Amino acid sequence: MGKYVIAGNWKMNKTPAEAVELIEAIKPLVKDATCDVVVGVPFVDLPAALEAVKGSKIGVAAQNCHWEKSGAYTGEISAEMLKAMEVGYVILGHSERRTYFGDTDVTVQKRMRAALDAGLTVILCVGEYLEQREQGITGEIVAMQTKVALGGVSEEELARVIIAYEPVWAIGTGRTATAEQANEVCAQIRDVIAGLYNAEAAKAVTIQYGGSMNAANAAELLAQSDVDGGLIGGASLKPADFATIVAAAK
Ligand code: PGA
């Protein structure tokens, strides 16, 4: 895994046929990418996406996984199942899952354990609500989310964890954090990693920014000292915009 990672989070968009079309459009545009490129697709698109990325360096992510290997969990998908399909990545703890589907720091930790045990690379999302930022507790919130999710994660396993700082107020709103705000919180997260592990691990960990990152603002955000990539929602569905962001990640 490289240090810079640009990942698309397609959310609940695209049928399998549309996923293939989108990947085919992205492929030639990112073939010279110097960063890692990942597309996070709906579960039902995974087989088609895995087939479509063959011959490219694009990785494929699922958008969640359950913590048990199998069992009576109607509607759920396990990390083992993803691994069996040769999915490389899984996004965990996205704010939409926390807000709409009851994910908590503790269930994110359980999913993290299962994903790492299955050999997946995790994109762990953390971030504050607007009220929390206004209260001045952003640092505490992201520190808590990061610490709980990484509970029991060894330094060796940390090499398979990417952290995405996504202020909830910036997701899908067109209201991006300023480059300074993004960098400040990414640096705080890096300090948390230094405290949990050590300075070397903190330096090595990939910390992405996410929240209305687009073709126009990506270069400035990605130029920040502590921003090592992006988790991209809306703009990841537009091949040219996504490719511009990938090109900006040097
Ligand atoms: P956005 O989504 O780029 O559409 O704001 C980012 C995300 O939710 O990961």
Side-chain angles (χ1 to χ4, degrees):
M1 201 179 95
K3 170 84 167 167
Y4 277 76
V5 183
I6 298 293
N9 175 12
W10 292 8
K11 311 192 180 187
M12 196 175 72
N13 291 292
K14 305 295 174 187
T15 64
E18 290 166 348
V20 171
E21 206 176 305
L22 180 51
I23 289 168
E24 291 302 342
I26 292 170
K27 261 193 332 197
L29 303 180
V30 303
K31 68 176 187 329
D32 299 322
T34 53
C35 62
D36 289 357
V37 180
V38 177
V39 290
V41 308
F43 287 127
V44 294
D45 293 352
L46 287 169
L50 288 163
E51 191 59 35
V53 299
K54 278 190 183 152
S56 78
K57 289 187 299 186
I58 303 173
V60 174
Q63 299 174 8
N64 190 26
C65 70
H66 195 263
W67 52 85
E68 294 293 344
K69 288 193 165 97
S70 61
Y73 301 100
T74 304
E76 293 297 308
I77 302 288
S78 72
E80 295 288 314
M81 292 170 179
L82 299 177
K83 188 58 192 172
M85 296 183 75
E86 297 182 15
V87 172
Y89 300 79
V90 63
I91 299 169
L92 293 180
H94 190 279
S95 71
E96 285 150 18
R97 299 234 42 104
R98 295 177 192 258
T99 303
Y100 307 134
F101 304 107
D103 260 15
T104 65
D105 290 343
V106 172
T107 60
V108 171
Q109 181 191 55
K110 290 165 77 168
R111 296 178 204 280
M112 170 77 80
R113 182 74 265 142
L116 292 174
D117 284 348
L120 301 170
T121 293
V122 173
I123 300 176
L124 165 69
C125 302
V126 299
E128 81 288 2
Y129 288 102
L130 185 59
E131 303 75 48
Q132 294 168 327
R133 172 161 287 268
E134 286 169 348
Q135 261 183 282
I137 57 171
T138 297
E140 284 95 329
I141 293 293
V142 299
M144 173 76 105
Q145 292 171 333
T146 303
K147 286 180 185 178
V148 177
L150 292 177
V153 173
S154 70
E155 187 180 346
E156 196 189 342
E157 289 172 325
L158 184 70
R160 284 189 287 118
V161 178
I162 294 164
I163 300 172
Y165 166 55
E166 299 207 306
V168 182
W169 47 272
I171 295 175
T173 57
R175 185 178 164 193
T176 319
T178 64
E180 292 71 30
Q181 286 172 327
N183 199 49
E184 182 187 22
V185 182
C186 288
Q188 284 170 344
I189 294 169
R190 206 176 295 285
D191 284 345
V192 169
I193 300 298
L196 289 175
Y197 300 90
N198 53 59
E200 209 178 302
K203 190 158 172 258
V205 71
T206 295
I207 304 179
Q208 301 173 318
Y209 167 78
S212 300
M213 191 188 275
N214 58 41
N217 62 29
E220 192 191 358
L221 287 160
L222 293 166
Q224 301 304 306
S225 57
D226 284 288
V227 179
D228 310 319
L231 183 57
I232 324 297
S236 72
L237 300 172
K238 300 177 194 150
D241 291 23
F242 188 61
T244 300
I245 298 169
V246 167
K250 294 222 172 68

